Amino acid sequence: MQARHTLTASERSRLLPFVVSSGEISPRDQRDLMERPFFSLSKTKRTTPILYAIGDTRVEVFGMPEHGMATIWDADVLIWAASQIVEAENLGLTTSRFLRFTPYQLLTGIGRQTGARDYRLLRAALARLQSTVVATTIRNGQNWRRQQFSWITEWEICASRNGRAVGVEIVIPEWLYRGVIDRSLVLAIDPAYFRLTGGIERWLYRVARKHAGRQQAGWAFEIGHLHQKSGSLMRPSDFAIQIRRAAASQPLPGYHLGIEHAGARELLRILPTDLSTHPVDNYVNGIGTSHASTIGTSHAGLSGLHTHKPQLSLWPETAIPALNLSNLESNSYVDGKRRSADNPSCPSIAPFKGPGDGP
């Protein structure tokens, strides 16, 4: 007896497409994704789940055996999509969770090459982003309530007759979209981020950008706590070695890393230097070429692709405050005083409320 499958309607049939315009824009990252363990930090396939829980904050990430868990290099797709949505919202354009763009726009926007190999890697990245399942309580209020989604709910690559990819359509989840259109939950990042080749280096930069920001005293973390927040499969001792190596090589654009000791505790101090994300959201240097090699989906029908007017504004009317209010959520040391990690008693940013949401 054959199994009967219920067909669900495509989300793209219910959403108006947001057609991405061309042109370089300031890259932006979503705050919730910048410090918690949402992605694998390794380029090798990972299927071991990430299970992170502190207080009422839960993050669970599951990778499917066929593709493995989405990596921090795959997350470049989400950073680019978020950047495009923020820029369009700033210009008063209508955006959507359904994005339509060319592979060339995406790859050049995150500093990648545009050869055949890079298009294959893009397909693999989209497959991992869709097959990765995330469950989290972040932004779900005081009551423990879990939301579950994939980083991309649908995607399709449109190819020409000779097989060359000419268009991409993706749908991002509502959880991510709401976190992007709420400007208090977005930070500008240095385009040099895309040139970082190590998974731990990339994750450390996002932690630094969110927590240290432009604060003169920077921010400090216990290395053991950083290991927990990273979701890394490394042993704590090996992870600590990688952190010390990063402090020795200083790979992070705009930040200086230093190792400190407070009794038996080993700390990583992150200090801002002369940031190129200088005054945070009003100016960002041009995009550089990345040496990262892992972004890495499928067959498709044709979609219409056209462009809006060039997006030149860099969000001038609303600058993100110099101090990061969400720093209160981290287990860290500022001026020798410890602050608790993701403690529900700490102040937090109010969640975005869209049409129809309750008080």
Side-chain angles (χ1 to χ4, degrees):
M1 180 176 175
Q2 287 186 329
R4 300 180 65 180
H5 299 280
T6 302
L7 297 178
T8 57
S10 166
E11 284 197 277
R12 286 174 292 171
S13 66
R14 299 184 285 103
L15 297 169
L16 292 175
F18 163 44
V19 183
V20 173
S21 76
S22 58
E24 293 183 1
I25 64 171
S26 167
R28 278 97 167 191
D29 208 346
Q30 208 282 326
R31 284 177 181 261
D32 297 320
L33 273 57
M34 294 176 76
E35 60 152 336
R36 296 185 177 96
F38 280 107
F39 302 98
S40 170
L41 304 185
S42 172
K43 292 181 180 178
T44 59
K45 182 189 289 188
R46 173 172 176 168
T47 56
T48 304
I50 294 174
L51 303 174
Y52 172 83
I54 292 184
D56 289 336
T57 300
R58 309 282 183 92
V59 174
E60 301 172 1
V61 186
F62 303 91
M64 299 298 104
E66 181 180 359
H67 302 291
M69 185 181 296
T71 71
I72 199 163
W73 294 272
D74 299 335
D76 288 358
V77 174
L78 305 180
I79 292 174
W80 182 83
S83 305
Q84 295 291 340
I85 291 170
V86 168
E87 189 67 17
E89 291 274 335
N90 181 58
L91 292 174
L93 301 176
T94 300
T95 62
S96 167
R97 295 191 295 116
F98 173 17
L99 286 79
R100 184 178 285 167
F101 53 89
T102 68
Y104 181 85
Q105 288 174 306
L106 169 60
L107 292 172
T108 56
I110 59 177
R112 304 293 172 85
Q113 301 299 315
T114 56
R117 178 176 179 271
D118 301 280
Y119 287 99
R120 290 195 301 270
L121 293 173
L122 173 59
R123 291 185 180 93
L126 294 175
R128 283 189 294 271
L129 288 165
Q130 184 182 35
S131 64
T132 297
V133 177
V134 180
T136 184
T137 61
I138 295 172
R139 282 189 271 125
N140 282 347
Q142 294 181 348
N143 298 322
W144 194 96
R145 186 164 57 89
R146 189 175 80 164
Q147 252 187 296
Q148 184 166 303
F149 52 86
S150 294
W151 291 121
I152 291 178
T153 61
E154 290 184 32
W155 62 268
E156 191 169 21
I157 289 186
C158 313
S160 62
R161 289 185 177 181
N162 62 8
R164 183 173 179 81
V166 295
V168 182
E169 296 181 348
I170 66 172
V171 179
I172 63 173
E174 183 72 20
W175 183 89
L176 178 59
Y177 182 68
R178 290 191 175 192
V180 169
I181 61 176
D182 183 345
R183 295 186 181 184
S184 69
L185 298 180
V186 178
L187 284 174
I189 62 173
D190 195 314
Y193 165 80
F194 296 120
R195 297 199 295 269
L196 295 175
T197 57
I200 289 180
E201 294 170 354
R202 282 173 157 247
W203 181 78
L204 271 178
Y205 173 80
R206 299 173 88 184
V207 170
R209 182 66 188 93
K210 182 185 178 192
H211 286 290
R214 296 184 59 81
Q215 299 181 91
Q216 186 174 2
W219 207 255
F221 293 89
E222 287 187 58
I223 291 181
H225 180 61
L226 278 177
H227 178 257
Q228 182 184 13
K229 289 168 75 68
S230 73
S232 172
L233 291 176
M234 288 184 182
R235 296 181 303 176
S237 58
D238 292 335
F239 180 85
I241 290 172
Q242 293 300 316
I243 296 297
R244 294 183 201 117
R245 287 177 177 170
S249 61
Q250 299 298 331
L252 304 192
Y255 292 95
H256 180 273
L257 304 177
I259 301 296
E260 300 178 358
H261 293 87
R265 298 187 298 270
E266 187 174 22
L267 311 176
L268 177 70
R269 171 75 64 178
I270 306 171
L271 292 169
T273 58
D274 184 19
L275 291 179
S276 61
T277 46
H278 191 58
V280 185
D281 285 299
N282 291 337
Y283 174 81
V284 177
N285 286 345
I287 291 177
T289 302
S290 169
H291 302 293
S293 60
T294 312
I295 146 178
T297 187
S298 139
H299 2 276
L302 211 61
S303 68
L305 292 166
H306 58 281
T307 60
H308 294 300
K309 61 183 179 181
Q311 299 182 4
L312 300 177
S313 170
L314 294 182
W315 207 352
E317 70 274 19
T318 305
I320 293 174
L323 296 180
N324 294 332
L325 300 179
S326 56
N327 283 347
L328 297 176
E329 299 177 0
S330 75
N331 178 7
S332 54
Y333 291 77
V334 177
D335 300 328
K337 297 180 181 179
R338 181 170 180 166
R339 292 181 177 175
S340 61
D342 299 308
N343 191 320
S345 64
C346 292
S348 61
I349 297 174
F352 170 84
K353 288 182 169 32
D357 287 348

